[in-house]
Amino acid sequence: MIRQVSVFIQNDSGRLARVLRALKEANINIRSLTISETADYGIMRLILQDTDAGLKALKEAGVMANETNVIAVEMPDKPGGLSQLTDLLAQADIGIEYAYSFLPQNTSNAIIIFKVSEADEPKISALTKEHPGLQVLESDTLLMK
Amino acid sequence: MQRYWNESYECMPAEQLKELQLKNLIDTVERVYERVPFYRKKFQEMGIAPVDIQSLEDIQKLPFTTKTDLRDNYPYGLLAEPLKNITRVHASSGTTGKPVVDGYTRKDLNMWSECVARGLVCADADSKSVIQNAYGYGLFTGGLGIHGGAEKLGASIIPISGGNTAKQLMMMQDFGSTHLTCTPSYAQYLGESLREAGIDPAELPLRAGIHGAEAWSENMRKDIEEKLGIECFDIYGLSEICGPGVAVECHEHNGLHVWEDNFYPEIIDPDTGEVLPDGEWGELVITTITKEGMPLIRYRTRDITRILSDPCPCGRTHRRIDRFQGRTDDMLIIRGVNVFPSQIEEALLNAGEVEPNYMIIVDREGLLDTIEIQVELNQSLNLNTVAELEAIEKKIKQHISSIIGIKAHIVLVEPKSLPRSEGKAVRVIDNRKI
């Protein structure tokens, strides 16, 4: 499982800057970032190079942040790569709550991050056993990529 | 532990108390008739003379006094004593026009201190207590009012005044404060600050808080009690009459005892002026019956409450006023519905997951009033999808709609992002141009 940091940000100028400043000052690299927004606020999802130090820096800055477990899968960066994965998930009846891509620095493969419900998490391990080609990454491996 | 400050007065049998009230009322009416032209003229216009007051019910023959009357007679027009007999002058903040001025004789200050001392004993204070007084000192009656009562009681008072939160926390830790006196919103802020500073309230000698000067809900009380590890007591006063001390809660926390030997309370229908029986909600009207400097006859407080007259298990015989629903002038009329900010606060806290820090913004789009409520999320909430946030918004919206019948726009904001107050909290912004 990958540790993702979720941050609540209200829709006001300077709010995002405040969060990013806290991470900059603690010298934390952001490996992926996505924001889902409504008219009044957004939730920013981050994969940080150092999750513990990042969470600590955010909390000290008074930012509302918490941790969520997500899944990372590596796949060839070519047409149909992601489709293969979503087919497998659909067959295993695993729902995706949200997904976004990771920014690898050391591979030409693509990496996708997705969140499944807690109930579906065991199904993922079963799926990797059945399909050895499915490359689910653990934290250490992911952050090397 | 001391149960009462002045048992013979606080527990005076009801009949004897009524006799005392009548005597004091007649004295007051004679005093203002003889000494204050404003009252004499008003009484004469209504064809009333002091001799017409023969029973407590006769008070209903007397005219009301309003805040406007006080402003019209600014600054000293309602004084019943020459300035040489006035020991201290207080004044309201005057945010809407000229301030309202009140002058106290030495005897008035003594009476006020007596009322505050009774209230402090209600909260278990005695001569060994250390009272951290975080009400503002100055023209505002809170600081000096509590100060006088604490000195009369013989407690040790720390006159720190409002603000300077870091120093407040330091004193709580170092000075052995057993009692905190301040506005409820500041108590809440101190509670949050204590938590942030990582101080465990259980380690502090602080055990009670006495809070007033603004309306607060039961949920807010629970929040302060939990954050500061204390028992909270509501205290009531108003700058026109005397600051804190007009009424105060006992351990029963079932209404505030009005010190009826000094203040005669009535509840009226704010629209018709008709006096309502005990138990019915309406506007609180107070007549001061022992004040010398600036006695007030049937002063309309604008505060909405009711009188509780059933015997209180604490033994005090003075009738109680219930916790305030709000003020007639805080009341918002939104799409024709009367809404008190306190009702919104209650709804927010019942919905859970949010902090009791909120801002109500009323506006008008075309012909329709709109209400937006900004509320802070609870810091410890574990959120990660917009759907979860939307569910919270929906729940709050339903709670509010069930209480005030209006669909509000709920805006969730980050913890600690709304402005904090060191005095009275500003909870409403009304942008309507009517």
Side-chain angles (χ1 to χ4, degrees):
Chain A
M1 289 292 220
I2 307 298
R3 298 167 68 198
Q4 168 195 276
V5 174
S6 307
V7 178
F8 175 83
I9 302 179
Q10 70 198 58
N11 188 2
D12 261 329
S13 56
R15 291 283 164 181
L16 181 59
R18 185 173 75 118
V19 175
L20 297 178
R21 206 179 306 121
L23 293 172
K24 180 184 89 177
E25 278 162 13
N27 199 25
I28 309 289
N29 195 21
I30 299 171
R31 297 303 308 276
S32 87
L33 177 155
T34 173
I35 297 178
S36 69
E37 93 287 355
T38 73
D40 298 320
Y41 53 79
I43 291 181
M44 176 162 67
R45 304 189 173 106
L46 300 163
I47 308 273
L48 301 175
Q49 193 67 36
D50 184 341
T51 310
D52 288 321
L55 270 171
K56 186 165 167 273
L58 291 173
K59 294 224 158 122
E60 274 167 10
V63 173
M64 193 173 172
N66 60 63
E67 202 182 317
T68 315
N69 285 330
V70 291
I71 291 157
V73 175
E74 184 171 352
M75 65 200 66
D77 190 1
K78 61 175 194 200
L82 181 56
S83 163
Q84 223 174 353
L85 169 69
T86 48
D87 284 345
L88 280 178
L89 292 174
Q91 280 160 23
D93 198 24
I94 300 172
I96 300 173
E97 292 187 0
Y98 53 81
Y100 53 95
S101 55
F102 183 80
L103 308 173
Q105 295 165 343
N106 303 318
T107 168
S108 57
N109 279 342
I111 297 173
I112 187 95
I113 306 282
F114 61 95
K115 167 88 172 77
V116 301
S117 69
E118 265 177 53
D120 280 350
E121 280 172 9
K123 291 191 197 165
I124 296 283
S125 7
L127 203 61
T128 44
K129 279 187 194 115
E130 276 173 48
H131 302 270
L134 185 64
Q135 284 193 61
V136 174
L137 306 177
E138 284 309 314
S139 253
D140 296 349
T141 333
L142 174 75
L143 295 170
M144 303 276 286
K145 296 277 179 186
Chain B
M1 196 166 292
Q2 194 173 349
R3 274 191 78 193
Y4 309 109
W5 169 248
N6 188 343
E7 187 169 354
S8 60
Y9 274 85
E10 291 173 56
C11 304
M12 187 180 280
E15 280 313 306
Q16 198 186 330
L17 183 58
K18 278 186 183 163
E19 276 173 38
L20 178 64
Q21 284 179 312
L22 180 59
K23 180 190 156 292
N24 288 343
L25 174 65
I26 292 171
D27 286 351
T28 301
V29 172
E30 281 172 355
R31 164 175 279 269
V32 299
Y33 191 80
E34 282 164 19
R35 296 170 176 233
V36 187
F38 164 81
Y39 283 114
R40 185 166 54 246
K41 183 163 170 276
K42 237 177 161 178
F43 288 10
Q44 283 170 345
E45 277 166 8
M46 295 175 79
I48 301 161
V51 68
D52 295 318
I53 307 300
Q54 299 290 336
S55 70
L56 283 175
E57 286 66 43
D58 287 340
I59 198 171
Q60 297 182 24
K61 296 176 184 167
L62 298 173
F64 293 116
T65 308
T66 64
K67 197 164 208 161
T68 310
D69 295 327
L70 269 61
R71 292 220 173 94
D72 291 348
N73 289 281
Y74 171 88
Y76 294 141
L78 292 182
L79 292 187
E81 289 287 337
L83 267 184
K84 73 177 173 67
N85 294 339
I86 297 295
T87 309
R88 198 197 294 163
V89 174
H90 276 286
S92 73
S93 48
T95 43
T96 50
K98 292 270 193 194
V100 166
V101 181
D102 193 358
Y104 298 80
T105 63
R106 196 167 295 281
K107 187 170 157 247
D108 291 340
L109 291 176
N110 191 46
M111 175 275 285
W112 182 10
S113 296
E114 158 82 21
C115 292
V116 173
R118 291 181 195 174
L120 293 171
V121 174
C122 281
D124 289 337
D126 58 23
S127 59
K128 295 187 290 300
S129 303
V130 178
I131 297 174
Q132 182 164 338
N133 188 13
Y135 274 116
Y137 279 67
L139 281 177
F140 172 57
T141 50
L144 284 163
I146 295 288
H147 190 99
E151 282 193 342
K152 192 172 195 62
L153 175 64
S156 311
I157 182 142
I158 306 173
I160 181 167
S161 193
N164 207 341
T165 302
K167 194 176 261 179
Q168 301 274 3
L169 298 190
M170 183 186 83
M171 293 194 170
M172 274 184 201
Q173 290 177 285
D174 299 346
F175 283 34
S177 310
T178 56
H179 290 71
L180 172 69
T181 50
C182 62
T183 57
S185 50
Y186 193 48
Q188 196 168 35
Y189 181 61
L190 285 172
E192 278 178 9
S193 307
L194 200 71
R195 186 168 284 187
E196 268 169 35
I199 303 167
D200 178 5
E203 307 276 302
L204 298 178
L206 198 67
R207 63 167 190 266
I210 299 159
H211 311 297
E214 60 188 14
W216 50 315
S217 63
E218 276 305 308
N219 278 319
M220 191 160 164
R221 184 212 297 269
K222 281 187 209 123
D223 187 63
I224 299 170
E225 288 187 335
E226 191 214 314
K227 284 184 176 144
L228 284 172
I230 57 175
E231 180 175 355
C232 291
F233 296 80
D234 198 358
I235 192 166
Y236 175 69
L238 57 171
S239 57
E240 301 89 323
I241 287 187
C242 72
V246 173
V248 69
E249 261 182 355
C250 62
H251 273 296
E252 299 299 319
H253 300 293
N254 181 21
L256 295 78
H257 291 281
V258 179
W259 303 125
E260 287 196 83
D261 48 333
N262 299 305
F263 310 105
Y264 184 78
E266 298 170 88
I267 297 292
I268 63 161
D269 177 325
D271 296 326
T272 64
E274 181 203 351
V275 175
L276 301 174
D278 287 359
E280 284 191 28
W281 291 93
E283 181 182 339
L284 176 65
V285 169
I286 295 178
T287 301
T288 68
I289 52 178
T290 52
K291 258 178 104 181
E292 294 180 331
M294 198 180 88
L296 284 180
I297 302 295
R298 304 193 85 199
Y299 183 68
R300 294 190 60 161
T301 65
R302 304 275 166 201
D303 290 313
I304 304 292
T305 182
R306 59 178 177 165
I307 291 178
L308 303 170
S309 51
D310 55 311
C312 185
C314 79
R316 293 176 181 85
T317 51
H318 298 231
R319 287 177 298 167
R320 282 121 53 222
I321 44 176
D322 208 339
R323 305 241 350 200
F324 292 99
Q325 268 196 346
R327 286 174 60 77
T328 54
D329 41 7
D330 280 350
M331 190 179 78
L332 294 160
I333 302 178
I334 299 168
R335 296 184 205 169
V337 180
N338 295 348
V339 176
F340 289 104
S342 57
Q343 293 175 295
I344 290 179
E345 180 176 324
E346 206 70 36
L348 289 174
L349 287 153
N350 286 334
E353 284 144 356
V354 291
E355 292 287 319
N357 283 307
Y358 61 94
M359 189 73 87
I360 300 167
I361 297 156
V362 188
D363 216 324
R364 178 164 287 182
E365 281 170 17
L367 290 172
L368 203 58
D369 295 333
T370 60
I371 178 166
E372 173 179 310
I373 299 166
Q374 299 181 351
V375 59
E376 287 182 8
L377 281 166
N378 189 317
Q379 180 85 50
S380 58
L381 216 53
N382 205 13
L383 290 169
N384 79 89
T385 64
V386 168
E388 288 165 343
L389 289 162
E390 282 170 347
I392 295 175
E393 282 180 354
K394 198 173 160 202
K395 190 160 81 170
I396 293 173
K397 204 171 191 161
Q398 280 167 349
H399 271 268
I400 287 178
S401 165
S402 72
I403 290 176
I404 64 172
I406 295 170
K407 289 220 178 348
H409 177 52
I410 308 299
V411 179
L412 301 174
V413 299
E414 291 170 35
K416 303 199 179 55
S417 60
L418 292 175
R420 293 297 193 270
S421 146
E422 291 178 344
K424 294 192 187 198
V426 177
R427 303 286 200 194
V428 180
I429 299 171
D430 194 339
N431 292 324
R432 290 176 293 186
K433 308 263 184 299
I434 301 172

